[in-house]
Amino acid sequence: MKNLLFVAGIVLILVGVFALIFSVLQGYGYYHLLDGEAELYVRLRWRMIIFFIIGIVLAVLGTVCLIVRAKM
C-alpha cells in the first residue's frame, strides 16, 4: 500500500505539473497572439483557466498521497 501511494503521488504531481505548464503555454498564446478570431481568444483563455485548476488539484492530491504514505 505504501508503494502504491508513493507511485500515485509522484504520478499525480507530474501530471499536475504538466497541466500547469500547458496552462502557461495557453496563457502565453492568449496574451501574445497578434491577430486571431474572437473564438480563438475565448478557447485559449478557457483552456488556460481549466488546466490551471486541474494542475493545482492534481498537485494537491499527489501531495496528499505522499503525506498519507509518510504517516503510515
Side-chain angles (χ1 to χ4, degrees), residues 1-2 5 61-72:
M1 185 69 177
K2 278 184 142 183
L5 283 174
L61 286 175
T63 306
V64 168
C65 285
L66 291 177
I67 291 172
V68 168
R69 179 197 176 267
K71 300 265 182 188
M72 292 179 110

Side-chain angles (χ1 to χ4, degrees), residues 40-60:
L40 179 61
Y41 284 101
V42 171
R43 280 187 279 141
L44 284 171
R45 182 161 169 81
W46 274 108
R47 277 188 266 169
M48 177 180 65
I49 293 169
I50 289 171
F51 278 100
F52 182 72
I53 293 170
I54 289 171
I56 289 175
V57 168
L58 289 176
V60 168

Side-chain angles (χ1 to χ4, degrees), residues 14-56:
L14 286 176
V15 173
V17 167
F18 285 133
L20 288 172
I21 291 171
F22 189 71
S23 172
V24 168
L25 289 174
Q26 296 300 309
Y28 183 81
Y30 176 75
Y31 288 112
H32 291 89
L33 185 65
L34 297 177
D35 188 21
E37 299 174 358
E39 65 185 40
L40 179 61
Y41 284 101
V42 171
R43 280 187 279 141
L44 284 171
R45 182 161 169 81
W46 274 108
R47 277 188 266 169
M48 177 180 65
I49 293 169
I50 289 171
F51 278 100
F52 182 72
I53 293 170
I54 289 171
I56 289 175

